[in-house]
Amino acid sequence: SIGNNPALLSYLRDLLANERERDHALELFTTVARNADDSIVPFLVEMAKTNGNRHVRRLAIEGLEDRKELDRIDALPILLDDLEKADPKRKYCETRKWYVERIVRFDDPRVLPALERESRRKGFFFDFGSGNACIEDLLRRNIERLRKAK
């Protein structure tokens, strides 16, 4: 199994760290994160916690979610940070939606301010308008829910 193969994990770790090999590395890591057996969980935990690439962290978090192992990391700070750094352009709305859908599951005081910031985010033509068309309703509903719960 992949998770028990130190040489393969070392190769994948090095590949993910190499900027020139990023596309190939992400393709390979996507396959591993989605298809490897549960022996890959420690590697996914490592990548979610330490990798500097938010795409790698997202894939690692997805892999942990799929295996019901997300509680092995403190996911909220990672998700909040990656949402804040996500591209505000409209074409990346679905990516930001992925983060918002996960963030709203946490019962944590950091969630409401993050959702409010996201709802104010501009990213359309010269910063006019919103790049959040695909998540406006999700943001509004959860902001209202969290404000009422205060």
Side-chain angles (χ1 to χ4, degrees):
S1 65
I2 294 172
N4 294 322
N5 185 329
L8 184 56
L9 293 179
S10 179
Y11 170 74
L12 184 53
R13 194 178 288 111
D14 291 345
L15 198 60
L16 288 167
N18 185 339
E19 291 287 325
R20 290 189 343 220
E21 297 291 336
R22 172 144 306 140
D23 290 341
H24 174 66
L26 286 173
E27 185 178 315
L28 180 58
F29 186 63
T30 299
T31 301
V32 168
R34 292 182 178 161
N35 300 304
D37 64 22
D38 287 350
S39 68
I40 199 65
V41 167
F43 188 70
L44 295 175
V45 167
E46 175 191 338
M47 291 297 101
K49 287 181 174 180
T50 65
N51 195 280
N53 182 306
R54 73 175 178 272
H55 302 292
V56 171
R57 289 190 301 270
R58 177 179 170 171
L59 289 166
I61 288 171
E62 285 177 344
L64 292 170
E65 281 180 330
D66 291 346
R67 292 167 180 84
K68 310 286 188 256
E69 296 282 353
L70 192 58
D71 61 341
R72 299 202 33 190
I73 63 170
D74 186 9
L76 184 59
I78 298 167
L79 294 166
L80 291 172
D81 187 54
D82 287 353
L83 174 63
E84 191 166 323
K85 292 175 182 171
D87 194 315
K89 293 184 186 102
R90 180 178 289 175
K91 69 181 184 178
Y92 298 108
C93 187
E94 288 296 327
T95 299
R96 293 190 316 280
K97 182 178 181 182
W98 182 91
Y99 289 105
V100 171
E101 288 172 338
R102 277 139 188 90
I103 288 167
V104 299
R105 298 177 191 164
F106 289 87
D107 181 23
D108 188 286
R110 296 172 288 182
V111 172
L112 179 58
L115 297 180
E116 290 171 334
R117 275 192 308 277
E118 187 63 25
S119 72
R120 291 188 304 269
R121 187 192 289 235
K122 303 293 183 202
F124 192 52
F125 188 69
F126 294 110
D127 261 356
F128 295 110
S130 173
N132 288 338
C134 75
I135 55 175
E136 285 174 348
D137 188 54
L138 178 64
L139 288 167
R140 182 189 46 74
R141 281 193 332 267
N142 282 284
I143 288 170
E144 288 174 7
R145 177 182 60 83
L146 291 169
R147 284 180 179 161
K148 286 178 185 175
K150 275 177 120 179

PDB file of all heavy atoms in Angstrom, residues 58-92:
ATOM      1  N   ARG A  58      -6.137  21.385   0.309  1.00  0.00           N
ATOM      2  CA  ARG A  58      -7.547  21.070   0.021  1.00  0.00           C
ATOM      3  C   ARG A  58      -7.707  19.596  -0.328  1.00  0.00           C
ATOM      4  O   ARG A  58      -8.622  18.918   0.161  1.00  0.00           O
ATOM      5  CB  ARG A  58      -8.050  21.955  -1.115  1.00  0.00           C
ATOM      6  CG  ARG A  58      -9.472  21.633  -1.505  1.00  0.00           C
ATOM      7  CD  ARG A  58      -9.968  22.525  -2.612  1.00  0.00           C
ATOM      8  NE  ARG A  58     -11.241  22.002  -3.104  1.00  0.00           N
ATOM      9  CZ  ARG A  58     -12.011  22.625  -3.946  1.00  0.00           C
ATOM     10  NH1 ARG A  58     -11.680  23.804  -4.412  1.00  0.00           N
ATOM     11  NH2 ARG A  58     -13.132  22.083  -4.357  1.00  0.00           N
ATOM     12  N   LEU A  59      -6.844  19.079  -1.179  1.00  0.00           N
ATOM     13  CA  LEU A  59      -6.910  17.658  -1.533  1.00  0.00           C
ATOM     14  C   LEU A  59      -6.704  16.770  -0.314  1.00  0.00           C
ATOM     15  O   LEU A  59      -7.368  15.741  -0.158  1.00  0.00           O
ATOM     16  CB  LEU A  59      -5.873  17.337  -2.610  1.00  0.00           C
ATOM     17  CG  LEU A  59      -6.163  17.894  -3.997  1.00  0.00           C
ATOM     18  CD1 LEU A  59      -4.913  17.804  -4.876  1.00  0.00           C
ATOM     19  CD2 LEU A  59      -7.335  17.155  -4.631  1.00  0.00           C
ATOM     20  N   ALA A  60      -5.783  17.167   0.558  1.00  0.00           N
ATOM     21  CA  ALA A  60      -5.541  16.391   1.778  1.00  0.00           C
ATOM     22  C   ALA A  60      -6.775  16.414   2.676  1.00  0.00           C
ATOM     23  O   ALA A  60      -7.174  15.379   3.219  1.00  0.00           O
ATOM     24  CB  ALA A  60      -4.317  16.941   2.516  1.00  0.00           C
ATOM     25  N   ILE A  61      -7.380  17.573   2.828  1.00  0.00           N
ATOM     26  CA  ILE A  61      -8.588  17.683   3.649  1.00  0.00           C
ATOM     27  C   ILE A  61      -9.716  16.848   3.040  1.00  0.00           C
ATOM     28  O   ILE A  61     -10.430  16.135   3.757  1.00  0.00           O
ATOM     29  CB  ILE A  61      -8.989  19.163   3.830  1.00  0.00           C
ATOM     30  CG1 ILE A  61      -7.993  19.835   4.782  1.00  0.00           C
ATOM     31  CG2 ILE A  61     -10.420  19.294   4.346  1.00  0.00           C
ATOM     32  CD1 ILE A  61      -8.135  21.341   4.872  1.00  0.00           C
ATOM     33  N   GLU A  62      -9.876  16.900   1.723  1.00  0.00           N
ATOM     34  CA  GLU A  62     -10.894  16.073   1.070  1.00  0.00           C
ATOM     35  C   GLU A  62     -10.639  14.589   1.340  1.00  0.00           C
ATOM     36  O   GLU A  62     -11.571  13.835   1.613  1.00  0.00           O
ATOM     37  CB  GLU A  62     -10.908  16.319  -0.436  1.00  0.00           C
ATOM     38  CG  GLU A  62     -11.536  17.610  -0.853  1.00  0.00           C
ATOM     39  CD  GLU A  62     -11.477  17.846  -2.361  1.00  0.00           C
ATOM     40  OE1 GLU A  62     -10.694  17.165  -3.064  1.00  0.00           O
ATOM     41  OE2 GLU A  62     -12.205  18.728  -2.831  1.00  0.00           O
ATOM     42  N   GLY A  63      -9.380  14.188   1.240  1.00  0.00           N
ATOM     43  CA  GLY A  63      -9.036  12.791   1.500  1.00  0.00           C
ATOM     44  C   GLY A  63      -9.330  12.387   2.930  1.00  0.00           C
ATOM     45  O   GLY A  63      -9.819  11.272   3.191  1.00  0.00           O
ATOM     46  N   LEU A  64      -9.057  13.284   3.861  1.00  0.00           N
ATOM     47  CA  LEU A  64      -9.362  12.999   5.279  1.00  0.00           C
ATOM     48  C   LEU A  64     -10.869  12.952   5.498  1.00  0.00           C
ATOM     49  O   LEU A  64     -11.366  12.092   6.238  1.00  0.00           O
ATOM     50  CB  LEU A  64      -8.699  14.040   6.185  1.00  0.00           C
ATOM     51  CG  LEU A  64      -7.172  13.971   6.228  1.00  0.00           C
ATOM     52  CD1 LEU A  64      -6.603  15.191   6.941  1.00  0.00           C
ATOM     53  CD2 LEU A  64      -6.712  12.678   6.899  1.00  0.00           C
ATOM     54  N   GLU A  65     -11.602  13.861   4.865  1.00  0.00           N
ATOM     55  CA  GLU A  65     -13.073  13.840   4.955  1.00  0.00           C
ATOM     56  C   GLU A  65     -13.633  12.520   4.431  1.00  0.00           C
ATOM     57  O   GLU A  65     -14.488  11.908   5.083  1.00  0.00           O
ATOM     58  CB  GLU A  65     -13.686  14.973   4.135  1.00  0.00           C
ATOM     59  CG  GLU A  65     -13.655  16.319   4.762  1.00  0.00           C
ATOM     60  CD  GLU A  65     -14.286  17.374   3.851  1.00  0.00           C
ATOM     61  OE1 GLU A  65     -14.239  17.251   2.606  1.00  0.00           O
ATOM     62  OE2 GLU A  65     -14.819  18.325   4.409  1.00  0.00           O
ATOM     63  N   ASP A  66     -13.169  12.111   3.272  1.00  0.00           N
ATOM     64  CA  ASP A  66     -13.667  10.877   2.661  1.00  0.00           C
ATOM     65  C   ASP A  66     -13.435   9.662   3.557  1.00  0.00           C
ATOM     66  O   ASP A  66     -14.224   8.717   3.538  1.00  0.00           O
ATOM     67  CB  ASP A  66     -12.992  10.626   1.310  1.00  0.00           C
ATOM     68  CG  ASP A  66     -13.409  11.626   0.250  1.00  0.00           C
ATOM     69  OD1 ASP A  66     -14.408  12.354   0.462  1.00  0.00           O
ATOM     70  OD2 ASP A  66     -12.719  11.698  -0.791  1.00  0.00           O
ATOM     71  N   ARG A  67     -12.377   9.701   4.338  1.00  0.00           N
ATOM     72  CA  ARG A  67     -12.035   8.582   5.216  1.00  0.00           C
ATOM     73  C   ARG A  67     -12.539   8.787   6.644  1.00  0.00           C
ATOM     74  O   ARG A  67     -12.193   8.037   7.533  1.00  0.00           O
ATOM     75  CB  ARG A  67     -10.522   8.379   5.201  1.00  0.00           C
ATOM     76  CG  ARG A  67     -10.013   7.891   3.867  1.00  0.00           C
ATOM     77  CD  ARG A  67      -8.502   7.996   3.754  1.00  0.00           C
ATOM     78  NE  ARG A  67      -8.042   7.513   2.467  1.00  0.00           N
ATOM     79  CZ  ARG A  67      -8.016   8.248   1.352  1.00  0.00           C
ATOM     80  NH1 ARG A  67      -8.430   9.505   1.374  1.00  0.00           N
ATOM     81  NH2 ARG A  67      -7.594   7.728   0.225  1.00  0.00           N
ATOM     82  N   LYS A  68     -13.326   9.838   6.861  1.00  0.00           N
ATOM     83  CA  LYS A  68     -13.866  10.169   8.199  1.00  0.00           C
ATOM     84  C   LYS A  68     -12.738  10.365   9.217  1.00  0.00           C
ATOM     85  O   LYS A  68     -12.833   9.964  10.365  1.00  0.00           O
ATOM     86  CB  LYS A  68     -14.818   9.083   8.697  1.00  0.00           C
ATOM     87  CG  LYS A  68     -15.899   8.681   7.718  1.00  0.00           C
ATOM     88  CD  LYS A  68     -16.972   9.715   7.609  1.00  0.00           C
ATOM     89  CE  LYS A  68     -18.144   9.223   6.785  1.00  0.00           C
ATOM     90  NZ  LYS A  68     -18.235   9.746   5.457  1.00  0.00           N
ATOM     91  N   GLU A  69     -11.660  11.032   8.781  1.00  0.00           N
ATOM     92  CA  GLU A  69     -10.480  11.241   9.618  1.00  0.00           C
ATOM     93  C   GLU A  69     -10.152  12.727   9.782  1.00  0.00           C
ATOM     94  O   GLU A  69      -9.059  13.073  10.217  1.00  0.00           O
ATOM     95  CB  GLU A  69      -9.265  10.524   9.013  1.00  0.00           C
ATOM     96  CG  GLU A  69      -9.383   9.022   8.958  1.00  0.00           C
ATOM     97  CD  GLU A  69      -9.133   8.353  10.295  1.00  0.00           C
ATOM     98  OE1 GLU A  69      -8.741   9.032  11.262  1.00  0.00           O
ATOM     99  OE2 GLU A  69      -9.335   7.119  10.374  1.00  0.00           O
ATOM    100  N   LEU A  70     -11.080  13.612   9.446  1.00  0.00           N
ATOM    101  CA  LEU A  70     -10.794  15.045   9.509  1.00  0.00           C
ATOM    102  C   LEU A  70     -10.480  15.520  10.919  1.00  0.00           C
ATOM    103  O   LEU A  70      -9.728  16.474  11.105  1.00  0.00           O
ATOM    104  CB  LEU A  70     -11.967  15.846   8.930  1.00  0.00           C
ATOM    105  CG  LEU A  70     -11.700  17.326   8.680  1.00  0.00           C
ATOM    106  CD1 LEU A  70     -10.526  17.515   7.717  1.00  0.00           C
ATOM    107  CD2 LEU A  70     -12.939  18.016   8.154  1.00  0.00           C
ATOM    108  N   ASP A  71     -10.992  14.814  11.921  1.00  0.00           N
ATOM    109  CA  ASP A  71     -10.723  15.211  13.308  1.00  0.00           C
ATOM    110  C   ASP A  71      -9.268  14.997  13.714  1.00  0.00           C
ATOM    111  O   ASP A  71      -8.865  15.389  14.803  1.00  0.00           O
ATOM    112  CB  ASP A  71     -11.657  14.477  14.271  1.00  0.00           C
ATOM    113  CG  ASP A  71     -11.497  12.967  14.230  1.00  0.00           C
ATOM    114  OD1 ASP A  71     -10.950  12.439  13.237  1.00  0.00           O
ATOM    115  OD2 ASP A  71     -11.917  12.307  15.193  1.00  0.00           O
ATOM    116  N   ARG A  72      -8.459  14.467  12.833  1.00  0.00           N
ATOM    117  CA  ARG A  72      -7.026  14.287  13.130  1.00  0.00           C
ATOM    118  C   ARG A  72      -6.228  15.566  12.938  1.00  0.00           C
ATOM    119  O   ARG A  72      -5.045  15.604  13.267  1.00  0.00           O
ATOM    120  CB  ARG A  72      -6.453  13.168  12.266  1.00  0.00           C
ATOM    121  CG  ARG A  72      -7.179  11.867  12.594  1.00  0.00           C
ATOM    122  CD  ARG A  72      -6.518  10.613  12.293  1.00  0.00           C
ATOM    123  NE  ARG A  72      -5.090  10.562  12.392  1.00  0.00           N
ATOM    124  CZ  ARG A  72      -4.391   9.522  11.959  1.00  0.00           C
ATOM    125  NH1 ARG A  72      -5.010   8.500  11.408  1.00  0.00           N
ATOM    126  NH2 ARG A  72      -3.091   9.508  12.062  1.00  0.00           N
ATOM    127  N   ILE A  73      -6.873  16.597  12.397  1.00  0.00           N
ATOM    128  CA  ILE A  73      -6.207  17.893  12.238  1.00  0.00           C
ATOM    129  C   ILE A  73      -7.121  18.992  12.775  1.00  0.00           C
ATOM    130  O   ILE A  73      -8.321  18.787  12.916  1.00  0.00           O
ATOM    131  CB  ILE A  73      -5.850  18.197  10.761  1.00  0.00           C
ATOM    132  CG1 ILE A  73      -7.118  18.297   9.898  1.00  0.00           C
ATOM    133  CG2 ILE A  73      -4.864  17.179  10.219  1.00  0.00           C
ATOM    134  CD1 ILE A  73      -6.870  18.828   8.509  1.00  0.00           C
ATOM    135  N   ASP A  74      -6.542  20.133  13.048  1.00  0.00           N
ATOM    136  CA  ASP A  74      -7.321  21.320  13.395  1.00  0.00           C
ATOM    137  C   ASP A  74      -7.621  22.023  12.072  1.00  0.00           C
ATOM    138  O   ASP A  74      -6.874  22.894  11.631  1.00  0.00           O
ATOM    139  CB  ASP A  74      -6.526  22.217  14.355  1.00  0.00           C
ATOM    140  CG  ASP A  74      -7.336  23.386  14.869  1.00  0.00           C
ATOM    141  OD1 ASP A  74      -8.564  23.425  14.631  1.00  0.00           O
ATOM    142  OD2 ASP A  74      -6.741  24.263  15.512  1.00  0.00           O
ATOM    143  N   ALA A  75      -8.698  21.611  11.422  1.00  0.00           N
ATOM    144  CA  ALA A  75      -8.980  22.031  10.049  1.00  0.00           C
ATOM    145  C   ALA A  75      -9.426  23.483   9.936  1.00  0.00           C
ATOM    146  O   ALA A  75      -9.135  24.133   8.927  1.00  0.00           O
ATOM    147  CB  ALA A  75     -10.040  21.121   9.433  1.00  0.00           C
ATOM    148  N   LEU A  76     -10.126  24.007  10.929  1.00  0.00           N
ATOM    149  CA  LEU A  76     -10.702  25.342  10.780  1.00  0.00           C
ATOM    150  C   LEU A  76      -9.664  26.415  10.463  1.00  0.00           C
ATOM    151  O   LEU A  76      -9.869  27.177   9.515  1.00  0.00           O
ATOM    152  CB  LEU A  76     -11.537  25.723  12.004  1.00  0.00           C
ATOM    153  CG  LEU A  76     -12.248  27.072  11.886  1.00  0.00           C
ATOM    154  CD1 LEU A  76     -13.190  27.115  10.684  1.00  0.00           C
ATOM    155  CD2 LEU A  76     -13.002  27.386  13.164  1.00  0.00           C
ATOM    156  N   PRO A  77      -8.560  26.526  11.181  1.00  0.00           N
ATOM    157  CA  PRO A  77      -7.588  27.569  10.817  1.00  0.00           C
ATOM    158  C   PRO A  77      -7.046  27.418   9.391  1.00  0.00           C
ATOM    159  O   PRO A  77      -6.817  28.414   8.704  1.00  0.00           O
ATOM    160  CB  PRO A  77      -6.461  27.407  11.842  1.00  0.00           C
ATOM    161  CG  PRO A  77      -7.069  26.668  12.977  1.00  0.00           C
ATOM    162  CD  PRO A  77      -8.155  25.812  12.389  1.00  0.00           C
ATOM    163  N   ILE A  78      -6.876  26.194   8.949  1.00  0.00           N
ATOM    164  CA  ILE A  78      -6.391  25.953   7.586  1.00  0.00           C
ATOM    165  C   ILE A  78      -7.441  26.434   6.587  1.00  0.00           C
ATOM    166  O   ILE A  78      -7.131  27.151   5.626  1.00  0.00           O
ATOM    167  CB  ILE A  78      -6.084  24.450   7.375  1.00  0.00           C
ATOM    168  CG1 ILE A  78      -4.969  23.989   8.318  1.00  0.00           C
ATOM    169  CG2 ILE A  78      -5.729  24.170   5.908  1.00  0.00           C
ATOM    170  CD1 ILE A  78      -4.824  22.481   8.410  1.00  0.00           C
ATOM    171  N   LEU A  79      -8.690  26.054   6.816  1.00  0.00           N
ATOM    172  CA  LEU A  79      -9.777  26.441   5.919  1.00  0.00           C
ATOM    173  C   LEU A  79      -9.968  27.954   5.887  1.00  0.00           C
ATOM    174  O   LEU A  79     -10.140  28.546   4.822  1.00  0.00           O
ATOM    175  CB  LEU A  79     -11.073  25.754   6.332  1.00  0.00           C
ATOM    176  CG  LEU A  79     -11.103  24.233   6.183  1.00  0.00           C
ATOM    177  CD1 LEU A  79     -12.287  23.648   6.930  1.00  0.00           C
ATOM    178  CD2 LEU A  79     -11.132  23.836   4.717  1.00  0.00           C
ATOM    179  N   LEU A  80      -9.932  28.589   7.060  1.00  0.00           N
ATOM    180  CA  LEU A  80     -10.104  30.044   7.127  1.00  0.00           C
ATOM    181  C   LEU A  80      -8.985  30.763   6.385  1.00  0.00           C
ATOM    182  O   LEU A  80      -9.238  31.708   5.629  1.00  0.00           O
ATOM    183  CB  LEU A  80     -10.155  30.510   8.577  1.00  0.00           C
ATOM    184  CG  LEU A  80     -11.394  30.109   9.385  1.00  0.00           C
ATOM    185  CD1 LEU A  80     -11.210  30.467  10.857  1.00  0.00           C
ATOM    186  CD2 LEU A  80     -12.644  30.741   8.820  1.00  0.00           C
ATOM    187  N   ASP A  81      -7.773  30.335   6.597  1.00  0.00           N
ATOM    188  CA  ASP A  81      -6.621  30.963   5.941  1.00  0.00           C
ATOM    189  C   ASP A  81      -6.689  30.784   4.424  1.00  0.00           C
ATOM    190  O   ASP A  81      -6.474  31.736   3.663  1.00  0.00           O
ATOM    191  CB  ASP A  81      -5.322  30.374   6.501  1.00  0.00           C
ATOM    192  CG  ASP A  81      -4.099  31.102   5.994  1.00  0.00           C
ATOM    193  OD1 ASP A  81      -4.039  32.342   6.130  1.00  0.00           O
ATOM    194  OD2 ASP A  81      -3.199  30.428   5.459  1.00  0.00           O
ATOM    195  N   ASP A  82      -7.012  29.581   3.994  1.00  0.00           N
ATOM    196  CA  ASP A  82      -7.068  29.327   2.555  1.00  0.00           C
ATOM    197  C   ASP A  82      -8.236  30.052   1.900  1.00  0.00           C
ATOM    198  O   ASP A  82      -8.120  30.512   0.759  1.00  0.00           O
ATOM    199  CB  ASP A  82      -7.125  27.827   2.279  1.00  0.00           C
ATOM    200  CG  ASP A  82      -5.791  27.147   2.525  1.00  0.00           C
ATOM    201  OD1 ASP A  82      -4.789  27.841   2.776  1.00  0.00           O
ATOM    202  OD2 ASP A  82      -5.748  25.899   2.466  1.00  0.00           O
ATOM    203  N   LEU A  83      -9.362  30.192   2.591  1.00  0.00           N
ATOM    204  CA  LEU A  83     -10.471  30.966   2.045  1.00  0.00           C
ATOM    205  C   LEU A  83     -10.065  32.421   1.864  1.00  0.00           C
ATOM    206  O   LEU A  83     -10.323  33.021   0.824  1.00  0.00           O
ATOM    207  CB  LEU A  83     -11.706  30.881   2.955  1.00  0.00           C
ATOM    208  CG  LEU A  83     -12.884  31.784   2.543  1.00  0.00           C
ATOM    209  CD1 LEU A  83     -13.420  31.394   1.170  1.00  0.00           C
ATOM    210  CD2 LEU A  83     -13.972  31.727   3.604  1.00  0.00           C
ATOM    211  N   GLU A  84      -9.412  32.966   2.865  1.00  0.00           N
ATOM    212  CA  GLU A  84      -8.999  34.373   2.783  1.00  0.00           C
ATOM    213  C   GLU A  84      -8.035  34.608   1.621  1.00  0.00           C
ATOM    214  O   GLU A  84      -8.058  35.654   0.978  1.00  0.00           O
ATOM    215  CB  GLU A  84      -8.356  34.808   4.096  1.00  0.00           C
ATOM    216  CG  GLU A  84      -8.151  36.293   4.169  1.00  0.00           C
ATOM    217  CD  GLU A  84      -7.835  36.763   5.576  1.00  0.00           C
ATOM    218  OE1 GLU A  84      -8.385  36.228   6.538  1.00  0.00           O
ATOM    219  OE2 GLU A  84      -7.014  37.681   5.676  1.00  0.00           O
ATOM    220  N   LYS A  85      -7.201  33.615   1.322  1.00  0.00           N
ATOM    221  CA  LYS A  85      -6.209  33.757   0.263  1.00  0.00           C
ATOM    222  C   LYS A  85      -6.734  33.345  -1.113  1.00  0.00           C
ATOM    223  O   LYS A  85      -6.056  33.541  -2.117  1.00  0.00           O
ATOM    224  CB  LYS A  85      -4.978  32.920   0.594  1.00  0.00           C
ATOM    225  CG  LYS A  85      -4.215  33.469   1.785  1.00  0.00           C
ATOM    226  CD  LYS A  85      -3.066  32.571   2.169  1.00  0.00           C
ATOM    227  CE  LYS A  85      -2.354  33.128   3.394  1.00  0.00           C
ATOM    228  NZ  LYS A  85      -1.381  32.177   3.920  1.00  0.00           N
ATOM    229  N   ALA A  86      -7.937  32.797  -1.147  1.00  0.00           N
ATOM    230  CA  ALA A  86      -8.498  32.332  -2.416  1.00  0.00           C
ATOM    231  C   ALA A  86      -8.755  33.510  -3.350  1.00  0.00           C
ATOM    232  O   ALA A  86      -9.089  34.610  -2.916  1.00  0.00           O
ATOM    233  CB  ALA A  86      -9.785  31.557  -2.165  1.00  0.00           C
ATOM    234  N   ASP A  87      -8.618  33.257  -4.628  1.00  0.00           N
ATOM    235  CA  ASP A  87      -8.821  34.279  -5.653  1.00  0.00           C
ATOM    236  C   ASP A  87     -10.264  34.770  -5.626  1.00  0.00           C
ATOM    237  O   ASP A  87     -11.196  33.968  -5.652  1.00  0.00           O
ATOM    238  CB  ASP A  87      -8.491  33.680  -7.022  1.00  0.00           C
ATOM    239  CG  ASP A  87      -8.341  34.725  -8.104  1.00  0.00           C
ATOM    240  OD1 ASP A  87      -9.191  35.636  -8.166  1.00  0.00           O
ATOM    241  OD2 ASP A  87      -7.380  34.639  -8.876  1.00  0.00           O
ATOM    242  N   PRO A  88     -10.480  36.089  -5.572  1.00  0.00           N
ATOM    243  CA  PRO A  88     -11.843  36.625  -5.472  1.00  0.00           C
ATOM    244  C   PRO A  88     -12.614  36.667  -6.788  1.00  0.00           C
ATOM    245  O   PRO A  88     -13.799  36.990  -6.793  1.00  0.00           O
ATOM    246  CB  PRO A  88     -11.613  38.050  -4.952  1.00  0.00           C
ATOM    247  CG  PRO A  88     -10.277  38.423  -5.490  1.00  0.00           C
ATOM    248  CD  PRO A  88      -9.471  37.139  -5.480  1.00  0.00           C
ATOM    249  N   LYS A  89     -11.975  36.353  -7.897  1.00  0.00           N
ATOM    250  CA  LYS A  89     -12.661  36.451  -9.183  1.00  0.00           C
ATOM    251  C   LYS A  89     -13.845  35.489  -9.256  1.00  0.00           C
ATOM    252  O   LYS A  89     -13.833  34.424  -8.665  1.00  0.00           O
ATOM    253  CB  LYS A  89     -11.680  36.165 -10.314  1.00  0.00           C
ATOM    254  CG  LYS A  89     -10.614  37.216 -10.464  1.00  0.00           C
ATOM    255  CD  LYS A  89      -9.732  36.923 -11.660  1.00  0.00           C
ATOM    256  CE  LYS A  89      -8.592  37.904 -11.716  1.00  0.00           C
ATOM    257  NZ  LYS A  89      -7.353  37.326 -11.219  1.00  0.00           N
ATOM    258  N   ARG A  90     -14.827  35.887 -10.001  1.00  0.00           N
ATOM    259  CA  ARG A  90     -16.060  35.108 -10.142  1.00  0.00           C
ATOM    260  C   ARG A  90     -15.786  33.674 -10.570  1.00  0.00           C
ATOM    261  O   ARG A  90     -16.432  32.743 -10.107  1.00  0.00           O
ATOM    262  CB  ARG A  90     -16.986  35.790 -11.137  1.00  0.00           C
ATOM    263  CG  ARG A  90     -18.297  35.035 -11.332  1.00  0.00           C
ATOM    264  CD  ARG A  90     -19.220  35.747 -12.274  1.00  0.00           C
ATOM    265  NE  ARG A  90     -19.732  36.943 -11.613  1.00  0.00           N
ATOM    266  CZ  ARG A  90     -20.500  37.831 -12.199  1.00  0.00           C
ATOM    267  NH1 ARG A  90     -20.841  37.666 -13.453  1.00  0.00           N
ATOM    268  NH2 ARG A  90     -20.928  38.885 -11.553  1.00  0.00           N
ATOM    269  N   LYS A  91     -14.823  33.466 -11.447  1.00  0.00           N
ATOM    270  CA  LYS A  91     -14.577  32.111 -11.959  1.00  0.00           C
ATOM    271  C   LYS A  91     -14.067  31.159 -10.863  1.00  0.00           C
ATOM    272  O   LYS A  91     -14.077  29.951 -11.061  1.00  0.00           O
ATOM    273  CB  LYS A  91     -13.631  32.131 -13.153  1.00  0.00           C
ATOM    274  CG  LYS A  91     -12.196  32.507 -12.850  1.00  0.00           C
ATOM    275  CD  LYS A  91     -11.387  32.501 -14.135  1.00  0.00           C
ATOM    276  CE  LYS A  91      -9.938  32.783 -13.883  1.00  0.00           C
ATOM    277  NZ  LYS A  91      -9.153  32.720 -15.112  1.00  0.00           N
ATOM    278  N   TYR A  92     -13.670  31.697  -9.712  1.00  0.00           N
ATOM    279  CA  TYR A  92     -13.208  30.864  -8.604  1.00  0.00           C
ATOM    280  C   TYR A  92     -14.236  30.768  -7.483  1.00  0.00           C
ATOM    281  O   TYR A  92     -13.934  30.320  -6.391  1.00  0.00           O
ATOM    282  CB  TYR A  92     -11.872  31.387  -8.062  1.00  0.00           C
ATOM    283  CG  TYR A  92     -10.780  31.341  -9.099  1.00  0.00           C
ATOM    284  CD1 TYR A  92     -10.304  32.503  -9.678  1.00  0.00           C
ATOM    285  CD2 TYR A  92     -10.252  30.123  -9.521  1.00  0.00           C
ATOM    286  CE1 TYR A  92      -9.316  32.466 -10.651  1.00  0.00           C
ATOM    287  CE2 TYR A  92      -9.267  30.080 -10.497  1.00  0.00           C
ATOM    288  CZ  TYR A  92      -8.802  31.247 -11.056  1.00  0.00           C
ATOM    289  OH  TYR A  92      -7.838  31.204 -12.021  1.00  0.00           O
TER     290      TYR A  92
END
